[in-house]
Amino acid sequence: MCGIVGYIGTEQAAPILLEGLTRLEYRGYDSAGMAVFDPQAGLQVVKASGRLQALRDMTDNGAKVVGTSGVGHTRWATHGIPNDINSHPQVSPSGRIAVVHNGIIENYTKLKEFLKEQGMPFTSDTDTEVIAHLLEYYYEGDLLEAVGKLLRRIEGAYALGIVCADAPDQLIAVRKDSPLILGYGNGFQMMASDVTAVIPYTREVCYLNDGEVAVLTRDSMKVYDSLLRPVEKTTAHVDWEISAAEKGGYEHFMFKEIMEQPKAIRDTISPRIRDGKVVLDDLTITKEQLENLDKLYIIACGSSYHVGVAAKYILERLVRIPVEVTLASEFRYSSPLVTDRTMALVISQSGETIDTLAAMREARRLGARLLSIVNVVGSTIARESDDVIYTWAGPEIAVATTKAYSTQLAVMYLIALHFAELLGRVTEEEYARLVAELQSLPAKAEEILKHTKEIQYYASIYFNHDSIFFIGRNIDYAVGLEGSLKLKEISYIHSEAYAAGELKHGTISLIEDGTLVVALASWNELFEKLMSNVKEVKARGADVIGVATEAHKAQLEELVDSALTIPDIDPMFLPSLEVIPLQLLAYYVALMRGCDIDKPRNLAKSVTVE
Ligand code: F6R
């Protein structure tokens, strides 16, 4: 959600800013712009609504914009429609100061009134314009000092990139509750919303903390706290390859990431299973602390929340501790029953989702211990947790998550096995059997991925449906939630997931001739019950795609219109296998409907506003 890139160095800045913005495109945006300091002409601002290509066309891929320092932005509209005027950078009345912003300034209305009273005109509907104007209001020749004063006035979430025509040899970066990292180079410095934008140029990065301000010059990077006292920062080395964030011959990132899942699961679990035992070096919680817990609270949004729904079944079965799964956006407003005997399990691919961050801070305030499962190293959620277990999925670029979801599940299995063993809730034989089953997961996922053509064929039959239901029981229901979300977010087909037993309590009235129902029947114990639900919807005219394990192949084929099977595995690990055909179904349906698969409309990869 919104991307920021800043560069100050000796090369022409605009092509570098455009390249960085291209790498941040996946975050989601609807307009783009940049401000570059031209030594002859002063601050040059170019911006355009729509795709980045518009900005490329206007500037001849950046060649027309002269200057070696500047900031660029992709905007995901919050305040004001996505048009040229509302695009960032926003500039101060004199045109001297330009600002790019990711986040929301909550008190902007009051500030706007105040600035209008001072005679400052406004042209946009954005909250960001008040930042540019306030900076000008406070600016008396020292930009850093003006930023310090600004920080005392604005409330909300913000990552800012600031350029000032009077101080052309510096850029200022500010962060609070929205991501921003710094990249250290030789003779140049950068800032960006995430590391993907800087790794073609440098792998030495630094993560800004909340309230910190950085002053970037060509040769130095100085960081201050919000009171402008100098802060010592350490750098981190990014060791993944650039190719990990490129399509590598695939038509879409989403397809590439679906295909990468066996490797991502293997990378996440293998180093953590040694001599048949789950070893979570990253976890500091002791057996005594674990014994003291009376509740696990899972906090997450979207697909990460769906991992939580599946994890509840897994953890309660194996660890025998009550688990409550809650949407992060609801947590703070639900009087959560959290004590110092609660552990909050926080799940987030990006590690920056603002709702999740806010909920986990509230959980901490109420006394909970925080264990997070995060993909992006050094992200805020990871840094603010007591313990973090990283999913080693590599960079996920497609907006619709696939391999991050799968690796989050994989970490959940590891946690469940580890906790169950520590608490003595599982026999040695059962533990050994489950660890072996877990280790078989990547190969079984590979097996499913050999059948993409079959799923493509089913997609070609059903892609014109305009309403699709996913039904399942227990863990199949949890997977249905994810299958339904995948489908609707990238194909724009209306879809809902239901606990199959609930159908007859209302939803079945929506089933009519030709309605498509995806029946998830992989949990062998409940296969027959699910088949009864299939008969009910078929009797009312539904077309049914069924998913079950190999064990029920023949029965499934008899009952449904299109049957998909997955390898047999302990039910605990089913979600990881069952989700793959559903991801592929969503992918092919979206492809056949001509949708923008990697960047679905209105969505952002990293949701940094509430
Ligand atoms: C859907 C999807 C989203 C995210 C959600 C949480 O494909 O990716 O639903 O799961 O926005 O994001 P993270 O996991 O980054 O906190």
Side-chain angles (χ1 to χ4, degrees):
M1 203 167 252
C2 294
I4 290 178
V5 190
Y7 170 87
I8 180 161
T10 50
E11 305 285 320
Q12 192 176 5
I16 296 174
L17 297 178
L18 282 168
E19 167 68 18
L21 293 178
T22 304
R23 289 179 176 274
L24 296 178
E25 262 190 308
Y26 78 97
R27 297 172 62 86
Y29 73 104
D30 36 47
S31 54
M34 57 185 164
V36 174
F37 181 75
D38 175 340
Q40 306 295 320
L43 211 50
Q44 300 298 296
V45 176
V46 256
K47 44 194 198 171
S49 56
R51 289 290 177 210
L52 212 43
Q53 191 56 41
L55 198 63
R56 286 189 176 280
D57 294 344
M58 281 167 75
T59 61
D60 189 13
N61 284 321
K64 283 189 190 158
V65 185
V66 177
T68 55
S69 66
V71 290
H73 188 262
T74 44
R75 172 175 185 252
W76 190 88
T78 56
H79 294 60
I81 58 167
N83 62 16
D84 294 356
I85 293 174
N86 290 333
S87 306
H88 299 196
Q90 290 292 321
V91 286
S92 65
S94 70
R96 264 188 310 176
I97 299 172
V99 176
V100 292
H101 168 215
N102 172 17
I104 288 181
I105 303 303
E106 283 163 6
N107 59 339
Y108 90 101
T109 320
K110 253 197 197 154
L111 292 172
K112 197 166 177 172
E113 270 165 33
F114 165 78
L115 290 161
K116 276 184 177 167
E117 279 161 24
Q118 311 309 309
M120 287 191 162
F122 280 80
T123 52
S124 81
D125 303 317
T126 66
D127 51 340
T128 307
E129 200 174 6
V130 302
I131 301 176
H133 285 41
L134 257 188
L135 280 172
E136 182 151 307
Y137 175 76
Y138 286 127
Y139 182 67
E140 287 172 341
D142 184 334
L143 186 59
L144 183 61
E145 205 179 289
V147 169
K149 289 179 180 160
L150 168 88
L151 297 187
R152 290 200 280 280
R153 289 295 294 272
I154 54 174
E155 291 163 17
Y158 43 84
L160 304 175
I162 303 166
V163 252
C164 174
D166 292 355
D169 295 324
Q170 67 178 39
L171 298 181
I172 291 197
V174 185
R175 106 152 252 182
K176 182 182 161 278
D177 292 340
S178 292
L180 200 63
I181 62 107
L182 306 174
Y184 293 81
N186 194 358
F188 70 91
Q189 316 292 337
M190 296 185 78
M191 71 174 94
S193 297
D194 66 51
V195 290
T196 46
V198 305
I199 52 166
Y201 310 98
T202 177
R203 288 169 174 280
E204 302 310 312
V205 301
C206 156
Y207 300 98
L208 281 180
N209 287 326
D210 268 354
E212 286 180 345
V213 179
V215 179
L216 287 66
T217 68
R218 288 177 175 79
D219 306 309
S220 71
M221 183 95 79
K222 291 202 175 106
V223 180
Y224 303 88
D225 67 12
S226 58
L227 299 175
L228 304 186
R229 294 172 301 206
V231 175
E232 278 302 316
K233 298 294 284 184
T234 49
T235 54
H237 182 78
V238 180
D239 55 11
W240 48 265
E241 291 304 317
I242 299 177
S243 60
E246 288 171 349
K247 279 192 203 150
Y250 288 97
E251 197 180 341
H252 295 102
F253 277 111
M254 184 179 176
F255 191 71
K256 175 181 179 241
E257 288 161 5
I258 290 173
M259 300 307 277
E260 282 173 352
Q261 288 179 109
K263 178 178 181 313
I265 297 171
R266 197 175 279 122
D267 289 350
T268 299
I269 61 174
S270 294
R272 289 163 170 148
I273 299 178
R274 291 177 218 144
D275 300 326
K277 285 233 154 180
V278 173
V279 183
L280 294 177
D281 292 327
D282 347 43
L283 209 60
T284 57
I285 188 165
T286 61
K287 184 176 175 207
E288 291 66 39
Q289 286 168 323
L290 199 56
E291 277 167 347
N292 188 43
L293 294 181
D294 61 7
K295 182 171 174 182
L296 293 174
Y297 230 126
I298 299 184
I299 299 172
C301 302
S303 295
S304 298
Y305 169 78
H306 296 156
V307 169
V309 178
K312 176 180 165 70
Y313 293 114
I314 296 162
L315 290 163
E316 287 187 340
R317 168 186 148 187
L318 210 61
V319 188
R320 309 300 301 159
I321 295 182
V323 179
E324 187 160 344
V325 195
T326 176
L327 290 164
S329 52
E330 291 291 318
F331 180 81
R332 278 189 297 167
Y333 314 109
S334 62
S335 319
L337 295 172
V338 171
T339 67
D340 58 1
R341 299 187 64 194
T342 309
M343 176 188 265
L345 266 172
V346 182
I347 314 172
S348 177
Q349 185 284 128
S350 62
E352 300 292 352
T353 303
I354 195 81
D355 286 322
T356 310
L357 188 57
M360 74 179 248
R361 286 176 179 163
E362 176 65 2
R364 175 182 299 288
R365 195 186 66 77
L366 295 170
R369 188 186 170 92
L370 304 177
L371 165 58
S372 66
I373 300 172
V374 174
N375 194 43
V376 177
V377 176
S379 54
T380 312
I381 289 175
R383 283 183 289 144
E384 291 194 14
S385 301
D386 297 305
D387 292 309
V388 50
I389 304 183
Y390 282 110
T391 48
W392 289 320
E396 189 178 65
I397 307 295
V399 165
T401 184
T402 52
K403 62 175 179 170
Y405 169 91
S406 290
T407 52
Q408 287 167 351
L409 277 174
V411 169
M412 277 299 181
Y413 305 142
L414 292 169
I415 291 176
L417 284 162
H418 183 61
F419 283 6
E421 200 226 354
L422 267 185
L423 294 173
R425 307 268 155 89
V426 60
T427 63
E428 258 178 50
E429 299 73 47
E430 179 66 349
Y431 178 82
R433 187 185 71 78
L434 290 172
V435 170
E437 285 284 83
L438 175 57
Q439 285 174 309
S440 76
L441 202 51
K444 289 179 177 170
E446 260 154 22
E447 197 48 46
I448 299 172
L449 289 168
K450 288 182 188 151
H451 299 280
T452 55
K453 286 276 169 285
E454 195 184 334
I455 297 161
Q456 188 174 17
Y457 169 69
Y458 290 150
S460 74
I461 305 176
Y462 300 113
F463 76 98
N464 265 329
H465 280 68
D466 52 16
S467 185
I468 301 182
F469 292 87
F470 287 72
I471 59 169
R473 287 166 182 260
N474 194 281
I475 219 157
D476 285 316
Y477 164 60
V479 182
L481 291 169
E482 178 59 8
S484 169
L485 179 63
K486 281 292 83 85
L487 184 83
K488 68 187 132 200
E489 68 183 327
I490 62 167
S491 74
Y492 315 144
I493 297 178
H494 169 255
S495 165
E496 290 185 42
Y498 264 83
E502 274 294 289
L503 268 184
K504 52 190 165 298
H505 298 290
T507 317
I508 203 158
S509 64
L510 294 171
I511 308 289
E512 55 186 7
D513 256 355
T515 307
L516 182 61
V517 174
V518 181
L520 303 170
S522 300
W523 203 34
N524 289 346
E525 219 178 297
L526 291 176
F527 179 81
E528 300 301 341
K529 280 210 186 319
L530 215 276
M531 286 308 113
S532 304
N533 299 124
V534 166
K535 285 177 195 154
E536 288 158 11
V537 293
K538 280 205 72 69
R540 286 156 182 86
D543 293 332
V544 177
I545 301 181
V547 186
T549 62
E550 288 291 334
H552 285 114
K553 188 173 179 5
Q555 279 164 284
L556 184 72
E557 281 173 350
E558 245 173 57
L559 277 170
V560 301
D561 301 283
S562 306
L564 288 165
T565 49
I566 57 173
D568 286 300
I569 198 159
D570 182 274
M572 171 169 158
F573 307 112
L574 275 174
S576 299
L577 298 182
E578 194 171 41
V579 78
I580 297 175
L582 306 188
Q583 295 166 340
L584 285 166
L585 184 69
Y587 174 79
Y588 285 120
V589 165
L591 190 67
M592 284 162 201
R593 292 167 73 96
C595 299
D596 188 350
I597 292 181
D598 284 338
K599 297 188 282 288
R601 69 185 179 206
N602 305 336
L603 292 179
K605 183 72 181 163
S606 181
V607 185
T608 50
V609 295
E610 273 193 57

